[in-house]
Amino acid sequence: MDRSPDAWISRRTLFEGRLFDIGHVVCRPTPEVRADIEYAGLNVLALPTAGVFALHDGPRRQVVATPKHAVFLSTGLAYRVTFPGNVGDQCLTLRLTAEWLARLAPESMSRDGFHAFTLGARAVLPPAAILARGLLWRQFVQGDVDALLVEELGVGLLNAALRAARESRDGAEPDAGQGTGRRSRHVERVKEAISTEPERKWTLGELSGIAGISPYHLAHVFTEEVGTSVYRYAMRLRLAKALGAVLDSNNDFTSIALDTGFASHSHFTARFRAFFGLTPEALRRAAGSGQAAKLRKIMTAQPAAAA
């Protein structure tokens, strides 16, 4: 995602360092947009922060990426991007040369790019990595960039994403989303719908209608294919969306809760703490202090439980 002559895509460089460059990509598609084939100019780790996109890098092969995912693109990889629901997306991108990728993560290398098990893959980020991505983005929003913290967060995100991709390959994380059968197509339709409107109070009946199968069959197939229930999948997307509002706005927490699909402030706080390991209030306080030491302490804390 490093070049585009199209006005509906904007790209800018946020950070240039010895280890990697960080960019910000915003896509605002229109109904007339037709995504053409592109080629990754460098090894790229794409970290969606909002919206949803589908990456196609082979016949009948696609992955749907949301703010709970990381996507790897290798040098020379041909791909095209589409946007379910034409919502568009925003991404942070870590661009690495082959030299630094080999130094930072030698096990991920194959020739000049990512290893085959990582190439074009999508990884489900653990809660600490989603939080790290939010804190990394906040550094650029605030405009007071601490280079050491940015590099620590970036390296941590790369390692977490590679670990998640490896676990997905080894079968520990079933959410690889790369099947091509009918079951996978049913599941992908549901994932796209939820990703387009994570704050919506979906019902199993509505989603089964989108998938074209019965509610019972959807609940069974979704859990088998994704490795988690439809409810937990939707909850993770809501929390990822809420994280941005907590870090990047001064909105009160009740408003954030209702805007992102939670029933109340208390429901939101409980889910947020269970997933990220601290309350929205505590996170905003620490991030607002601008103290790197506090942010590092947050990053090393273990979440109490996954949502």
Side-chain angles (χ1 to χ4, degrees), residues 139-225:
Q139 285 278 300
F140 302 116
V141 170
Q142 288 181 320
D144 184 17
V145 176
D146 181 322
L148 176 59
L149 180 60
V150 165
E151 290 184 339
E152 281 186 340
L153 291 172
V155 170
L157 279 164
L158 175 63
N159 288 334
L162 286 170
R163 189 181 313 115
R166 190 178 306 111
E167 290 173 351
S168 176
R169 175 198 61 172
D170 294 340
E173 173 53 77
D175 193 9
Q178 312 222 356
T180 56
R182 183 177 298 177
R183 287 159 55 101
S184 292
R185 290 196 293 273
H186 293 320
V187 168
E188 288 302 315
R189 288 177 198 148
V190 172
K191 288 162 72 176
E192 287 184 7
I194 296 173
S195 301
T196 300
E197 297 181 272
E199 71 285 350
R200 179 171 168 176
K201 290 178 172 58
W202 291 100
T203 66
L204 200 57
E206 290 173 330
L207 292 171
S208 66
I210 291 170
I213 55 179
S214 72
Y216 172 81
H217 191 48
L218 172 60
H220 177 70
V221 168
F222 194 96
T223 301
E224 280 200 346
E225 291 283 313

Side-chain angles (χ1 to χ4, degrees), residues 36-61:
D36 294 323
I37 291 178
E38 298 195 21
Y39 294 85
L42 284 175
N43 301 296
V44 175
L45 173 63
L47 300 162
T49 60
V52 54
F53 70 87
L55 182 142
H56 311 260
D57 63 347
R60 293 192 173 185
R61 175 182 158 91

Side-chain angles (χ1 to χ4, degrees), residues 60-306:
R60 293 192 173 185
R61 175 182 158 91
Q62 75 166 28
V63 294
V64 176
T66 72
K68 74 173 207 168
H69 295 116
V71 178
F72 297 91
L73 301 174
S74 187
T75 299
L77 173 68
Y79 66 93
R80 65 186 180 89
V81 177
T82 57
F83 301 93
N86 257 33
V87 199
D89 77 291
Q90 296 186 45
C91 278
L92 284 176
T93 59
L94 269 67
R95 300 185 296 270
L96 305 98
T97 64
E99 175 190 2
W100 279 107
L101 182 58
R103 292 189 186 187
L104 293 171
E107 76 285 357
S108 72
M109 287 296 292
S110 176
R111 297 183 181 177
D112 295 328
F114 286 110
H115 191 278
F117 80 78
T118 305
L119 177 63
R122 178 196 61 188
V124 179
L125 293 174
I130 295 174
L131 182 53
R133 187 206 61 217
L135 293 172
L136 179 62
W137 172 235
R138 184 180 175 85
Q139 285 278 300
F140 302 116
V141 170
Q142 288 181 320
D144 184 17
V145 176
D146 181 322
L148 176 59
L149 180 60
V150 165
E151 290 184 339
E152 281 186 340
L153 291 172
V155 170
L157 279 164
L158 175 63
N159 288 334
L162 286 170
R163 189 181 313 115
R166 190 178 306 111
E167 290 173 351
S168 176
R169 175 198 61 172
D170 294 340
E173 173 53 77
D175 193 9
Q178 312 222 356
T180 56
R182 183 177 298 177
R183 287 159 55 101
S184 292
R185 290 196 293 273
H186 293 320
V187 168
E188 288 302 315
R189 288 177 198 148
V190 172
K191 288 162 72 176
E192 287 184 7
I194 296 173
S195 301
T196 300
E197 297 181 272
E199 71 285 350
R200 179 171 168 176
K201 290 178 172 58
W202 291 100
T203 66
L204 200 57
E206 290 173 330
L207 292 171
S208 66
I210 291 170
I213 55 179
S214 72
Y216 172 81
H217 191 48
L218 172 60
H220 177 70
V221 168
F222 194 96
T223 301
E224 280 200 346
E225 291 283 313
V226 181
T228 190
S229 69
V230 180
Y231 173 78
R232 287 167 69 89
Y233 184 88
M235 184 60 65
R236 283 195 171 211
L237 288 181
R238 287 180 188 173
L239 288 165
K241 182 173 183 178
L243 176 64
V246 169
L247 288 172
D248 302 333
S249 77
N250 293 317
N251 294 347
D252 66 86
F253 297 114
T254 298
S255 296
I256 292 174
L258 298 179
D259 289 346
T260 51
F262 293 91
S264 64
H265 179 292
S266 59
H267 179 225
F268 168 54
T269 298
R271 290 293 183 178
F272 194 96
R273 183 173 185 173
F275 193 63
F276 290 118
L278 74 170
T279 65
E281 292 90 339
L283 176 60
R284 182 178 280 178
R285 260 195 323 271
S289 70
Q291 296 181 19
K294 287 189 177 182
L295 298 183
R296 292 188 188 101
K297 185 176 180 181
I298 292 172
M299 289 314 308
T300 57
Q302 294 298 315

